[in-house]
Amino acid sequence: MISKALFFLTALIILSPSLVESEAPTTPNTQFRVCADPNNLPYSNQKLEGFENKLVDLLAKELKQEVTYTWWPQRRGFIRNTLAAGRCDVVMGIPENVDAVLTTKPYYRSAYVFVSPKAANYNIISFDDPQLQSLKIGVHLIGDDYSNSPPAHLLSSKGIVKNVVGYSIFGNYGEDSPPGKIIKAVADGEVNVAIVWGPIAGYFAQKQSVPLTITPVPTEASLPTLPFAYRIALGVRRGDTQLREKLNDLLNRKSQEINKILTEYGVPIIQDLRTER
């Protein structure tokens, strides 16, 4: 769930309302009930092509359960209308410690990245690079009210505004995987560089005919209220500690297979020096 982008990722943090703790419904233990977006690669789609779809299959197989999806666009009200409404028991990608749900241990950590054509050889590794003052920069905008993503906020704080181009993280939902349009814009030369959530960049960069360079935004660019790296976990209903512990055990035991799936999808993994719980 801006990841989830990121879009899902940041979108969730900004847009999800706080939830009232809800009672877990009676759930047949033969089903692994998941709520996911039907058109949100690289995370999930109805054709089961996303990396979260693959992770669902992996976890359900270990639990000897049948996968059951409830499809719902990951926009405002996603958690309220899915997990909290009892339509499912798990959401697959959500920032660690989001108040709206009970989160598992994180199963990966990623960050925003700079994306540019390899042939351009910009070598941008910092928001202080003077090239950002003149290059055309693509960033995602979040929400129908065009709220700004963390890169847009930081660029604005540095006075970099006129050369910034916004792309809606939600885009035209009638098209396939709207979040990937910004990466195509880099490959097509519509913008010189984009600053994008890592999993989106890594996956869609593989789909372009032009080689692209992906460089993680340095963690020191993060501010207490404006992080550029996130630990991503699974989410269950608040109070459902039994399911969370079961999933934590699976995440520990299947970590190598999970990392293999993430690598296949081009997800940039950021080393996490924190001692895990």
Side-chain angles (χ1 to χ4, degrees), residues 39 75 140 168-173 175-182:
N39 183 24
R75 303 191 179 192
H140 270 136
S168 171
I169 192 77
F170 300 125
N172 180 354
Y173 203 66
E175 300 177 356
D176 284 340
S177 307
K181 303 303 179 188
I182 192 171

Side-chain angles (χ1 to χ4, degrees), residues 200-216:
I200 294 174
Y203 175 77
F204 287 105
Q206 296 176 340
K207 307 294 183 184
Q208 308 306 316
S209 58
V210 176
L212 302 178
T213 297
I214 295 176
T215 305

